[in-house]
Amino acid sequence: MNLNDAVEGKEYIIRAIETDDEEMDAFLFSLGCYSGEPITVISRKKNSCVICIKDARYSIDTQLAGAITI
């Protein structure tokens, strides 16, 4: 299951980051998004979602959300 399928407001644990793009991996890692880290989807828009990682909120697009396996 990836982050696009997550229920808003429920906390999940990141299992893996599945992408072939090294820049995307580095960007997600810089946000604190890596295996074992808790993540919560706060809200969803048409082409993006707001996530909470380590008490910080970020808006990411559906492509990035699809790369995060929970």
Side-chain angles (χ1 to χ4, degrees):
M1 178 164 128
N2 66 32
L3 207 56
N4 287 322
D5 303 324
V7 176
E8 291 179 22
K10 184 176 177 185
E11 185 174 271
Y12 295 92
I13 301 297
I14 298 172
R15 299 291 176 214
I17 305 296
E18 298 176 354
T19 179
D20 295 330
D21 187 352
E22 288 184 27
E23 280 187 42
M24 189 183 296
D25 282 340
F27 175 71
L28 289 170
F29 188 79
S30 73
L31 297 181
C33 187
Y34 47 84
S35 293
E37 192 65 34
I39 188 169
T40 305
V41 175
I42 304 298
S43 66
R44 279 203 175 76
K45 303 283 185 191
K46 185 176 181 181
N47 293 321
S48 66
C49 62
V50 177
I51 59 170
C52 180
I53 303 173
K54 295 186 177 183
D55 298 326
R57 292 182 181 197
Y58 304 102
S59 179
I60 61 172
D61 66 9
T62 54
Q63 181 184 8
L64 281 173
I68 301 170
T69 303
I70 52 175

